[in-house]
Amino acid sequence: MNAGSEAMGRHPFDTAIALTAETPNRLHGHTSEDYWNVISPYGGITAAVMMQAMLDHPERRGSPLSFTLNYIAPIQAGDYAIETELVRANRSSQHWAIRLLQEQRVLAQAIAICALRRETWSHVEAARPEVPPADHCAVAPPRKATGFLQRYEFRLVRGKPFAENADSLSYVWVSDVPPRPLDFASLTALCDSFLPRIFLLRPDFVPIGTVSINIYFHAGEEVLARHGAAPLLAVAQAQAFSDGHFDHQGQLWGGGNNGEDTLLATTQQLVWYKE
Amino acid sequence: MNAGSEAMGRHPFDTAIALTAETPNRLHGHTSEDYWNVISPYGGITAAVMMQAMLDHPERRGSPLSFTLNYIAPIQAGDYAIETELVRANRSSQHWAIRLLQEQRVLAQAIAICALRRETWSHVEAARPEVPPADHCAVAPPRKATGFLQRYEFRLVRGKPFAENADSLSYVWVSDVPPRPLDFASLTALCDSFLPRIFLLRPDFVPIGTVSINIYFHAGEEVLARHGAAPLLAVAQAQAFSDGHFDHQGQLWGGGNNGEDTLLATTQQLVWYKE
């Protein structure tokens, strides 16, 4: 079915985040094999569809500013519902709560802020690492032949999984497969495309799972539209691995093919690991 | 009234976060002049009391792992209610939603995770900056004679407000006034005690307000108890100021007086600024 949609010109990402509205506050979706992970959908696609549910809401004004999602339990293959609540709208911002459910059980909960972007004094203090342009970097062979890893192209610039790395800092050019113009849903998904930091420090596979992801958006629709389908530079590093959880801090930089280096989003996540 | 409580030996922080239960899921609190900010309570005390509401819940198991709070609108001086919802409990973790209300209006919403901490391989990748011990650093004169700034002692090591700084990176020793043994509520409050980054880059005051704060806890009760009432080293830096909002990333390090340098929490926040 997904392959069929793709043949008709629809990107598998758009199929994966497609929703039908029962009411403005309750939408229905269906998991996608194209973005499947080991035992449930790829966390990034779950984040993207919850973001999209908010974006699709008839009362939504402004663009996403802050988005935090806590993953509660695995989502089973099949149908799910998303409930959105506009908790409060101020003059220039909106506060949302979003939940994903299967059979009345909440499997993920998010809170988010949308706001009107205003012209102000601006300054990017973070520096984009100096790296070769994306098209000068080799595409890494997919780690798996199925699932969501097929839906991204990774070009590793610094940091290799299960190798000797001095630290967990990595630079990776990442893009959708097939290429797709960037929007807030795909940027949200890309914020979960980072390699788990523990794979950069330890030689063997360890079971892991993201429990919380936080995203701040530093650019509006026009900047994302201008970026188009070019690769993004993904930068991330862990701060601490302790007592079964580790964090990372990440940045997503635009301008893969056009020389611009725009900080599109910063993101943090907390990841469970087995031992 | 607060002064009275203090005279009787109760710390003003404990008075400020005191709650009475109407039901396990609905608690009542009262704003505190001791932690007042310009037009509403200090954001850190609001975060702390919402954290405390979860900690006090009879069904709470495990210790805080992740806590995200979005500030929606100013809280008026007076009574407020906090509603807690245990969205889901798994074997080793709990997912919570917490809201603060006045007159049925939601003024702040949070989501949080509690978890049992497990012995695992652990590694702190972040490095604590090399700074002189707290008692070698001068206490900064309070920026204001009233409100929450009286309730913290700041010893500025790097970065001065409204001065020429090369960047927004700051190191500050911070502690409760009067000293108080650290716990999850006070650590939560301390995560909002950072100087607004914009004050480190621009020469004049700009109106600001935190809209979202995210905290990952990297230590359990025993580590916090061992820390006691010693100062914490607070490290923070912004990544981007754009279109009316800026972020910062922060770290809170323990071990102010005993030579240990333990990463207790990492935190991010997004702050509105006027122009």
Side-chain angles (χ1 to χ4, degrees):
Chain A
M1 186 177 73
N2 290 338
S5 315
E6 203 177 339
M8 294 188 305
R10 194 182 204 186
H11 194 286
F13 184 86
D14 294 298
T15 304
I17 65 165
L19 292 164
T20 54
E22 178 185 327
T23 71
N25 294 324
R26 188 174 162 87
L27 308 168
H28 294 275
H30 193 91
T31 58
S32 160
E33 275 182 43
D34 287 325
Y35 287 87
W36 197 252
N37 197 351
V38 187
I39 57 158
S40 64
Y42 161 52
I45 205 75
T46 301
V49 76
M50 292 175 76
M51 166 63 77
Q52 192 62 44
M54 176 182 75
L55 293 172
D56 283 350
H57 196 286
E59 289 181 59
R60 194 261 309 173
R61 301 286 175 273
S63 60
L65 186 67
S66 166
F67 180 87
T68 308
L69 170 52
N70 290 354
Y71 297 95
I72 299 180
I75 297 163
Q76 308 298 317
D79 297 326
Y80 56 80
I82 296 180
E83 294 182 351
T84 57
E85 178 190 0
L86 177 52
V87 177
R88 178 87 175 268
N90 296 327
R91 198 156 39 94
S92 60
S93 65
Q94 293 185 325
H95 287 263
W96 293 86
I98 310 156
R99 292 182 173 191
L100 188 150
L101 304 95
Q102 282 183 322
E103 294 174 0
Q104 321 305 328
R105 292 164 71 219
V106 182
L107 302 181
Q109 67 168 336
I111 55 177
I113 306 174
C114 285
L116 300 175
R117 302 188 75 86
R118 298 172 292 116
E119 285 261 329
T120 61
W121 172 81
S122 292
H123 170 64
V124 177
E125 180 161 336
R128 206 197 82 170
E130 297 280 338
V131 299
D135 51 14
H136 286 52
C137 302
V139 176
R143 279 184 282 141
K144 276 189 194 166
T146 59
F148 85 98
L149 288 167
Q150 301 292 304
R151 302 269 60 85
Y152 291 103
E153 191 174 78
F154 298 102
R155 296 162 191 262
L156 310 185
V157 182
R158 184 194 203 275
K160 283 183 110 170
F162 310 119
E164 292 274 323
N165 298 292
D167 53 39
S168 76
L169 176 63
S170 68
Y171 309 149
V172 177
W173 287 109
V174 58
S175 44
D176 284 297
V177 174
R180 179 180 176 281
L182 191 66
D183 57 22
F184 280 107
S186 66
L187 181 55
T188 300
L190 283 157
C191 284
D192 193 39
S193 71
F194 295 91
L195 198 68
R197 297 298 98 183
I198 203 165
F199 294 175
L200 291 159
L201 286 193
R202 290 175 54 182
D204 297 311
F205 176 82
V206 187
I208 61 101
T210 299
V211 298
S212 185
I213 183 169
N214 184 52
I215 305 169
Y216 297 151
F217 296 96
H218 300 285
E221 278 91 354
E222 317 71 40
V223 176
L224 269 53
R226 207 157 64 230
H227 176 85
L232 282 80
L233 183 66
V235 175
Q237 185 166 19
Q239 296 181 96
F241 306 72
S242 61
D243 303 346
H245 291 88
F246 65 86
D247 75 325
H248 82 221
Q249 298 184 323
Q251 300 169 338
L252 282 167
W253 294 87
N257 286 337
N258 57 14
E260 265 188 65
D261 52 348
T262 310
L263 186 58
L264 301 176
T266 51
T267 179
Q268 300 81 33
Q269 63 173 258
L270 197 73
V271 182
W272 168 91
Y273 62 100
K274 190 165 182 184
E275 57 197 358
Chain B
M1 186 177 73
N2 290 337
S5 313
E6 203 176 341
M8 293 187 307
R10 191 182 205 187
H11 195 286
F13 185 86
D14 294 298
T15 304
I17 64 165
L19 291 165
T20 54
E22 177 185 328
T23 70
N25 294 324
R26 187 173 164 88
L27 308 169
H28 294 275
H30 193 90
T31 59
S32 159
E33 274 183 44
D34 287 324
Y35 287 87
W36 196 252
N37 197 351
V38 187
I39 57 158
S40 64
Y42 162 51
I45 205 73
T46 301
V49 75
M50 292 176 76
M51 166 63 77
Q52 194 61 44
M54 176 182 76
L55 293 173
D56 283 350
H57 196 286
E59 291 181 57
R60 195 260 310 172
R61 300 287 177 272
S63 61
L65 186 67
S66 166
F67 180 86
T68 308
L69 170 53
N70 290 354
Y71 297 95
I72 298 180
I75 297 163
Q76 309 297 317
D79 298 324
Y80 55 80
I82 297 180
E83 295 182 350
T84 57
E85 178 190 1
L86 178 51
V87 177
R88 177 88 176 266
N90 295 326
R91 198 154 39 95
S92 60
S93 65
Q94 293 185 324
H95 287 264
W96 293 86
I98 310 155
R99 292 182 173 190
L100 187 149
L101 304 94
Q102 282 184 321
E103 294 173 1
Q104 322 304 329
R105 293 163 70 220
V106 182
L107 302 181
Q109 66 168 338
I111 55 177
I113 306 174
C114 285
L116 299 175
R117 303 189 73 88
R118 297 173 292 117
E119 285 261 330
T120 60
W121 172 82
S122 293
H123 170 65
V124 176
E125 181 161 335
R128 207 198 82 171
E130 297 280 338
V131 298
D135 51 13
H136 286 53
C137 302
V139 175
R143 280 182 282 140
K144 278 189 193 167
T146 58
F148 85 98
L149 288 167
Q150 301 293 303
R151 302 269 61 84
Y152 292 102
E153 191 174 78
F154 299 101
R155 297 163 190 263
L156 310 184
V157 182
R158 184 194 203 276
K160 282 183 109 170
F162 310 119
E164 292 274 323
N165 298 293
D167 53 40
S168 75
L169 176 63
S170 69
Y171 309 150
V172 177
W173 286 110
V174 59
S175 45
D176 285 298
V177 173
R180 179 182 177 279
L182 191 66
D183 57 22
F184 280 107
S186 66
L187 181 55
T188 300
L190 284 157
C191 283
D192 193 39
S193 72
F194 295 91
L195 198 68
R197 297 298 98 183
I198 203 164
F199 295 174
L200 291 160
L201 287 193
R202 290 174 55 181
D204 297 312
F205 176 80
V206 187
I208 60 101
T210 299
V211 298
S212 187
I213 184 169
N214 183 53
I215 304 169
Y216 297 151
F217 296 96
H218 300 286
E221 278 91 355
E222 316 72 39
V223 176
L224 268 54
R226 206 157 62 231
H227 176 85
L232 282 80
L233 183 66
V235 176
Q237 185 165 20
Q239 297 181 95
F241 306 73
S242 61
D243 303 346
H245 290 89
F246 65 86
D247 75 324
H248 81 220
Q249 297 183 324
Q251 299 169 340
L252 283 169
W253 294 88
N257 287 337
N258 56 14
E260 264 188 64
D261 52 348
T262 309
L263 185 57
L264 300 176
T266 53
T267 178
Q268 299 82 34
Q269 64 172 259
L270 197 73
V271 183
W272 168 89
Y273 63 100
K274 190 166 182 185
E275 55 196 0

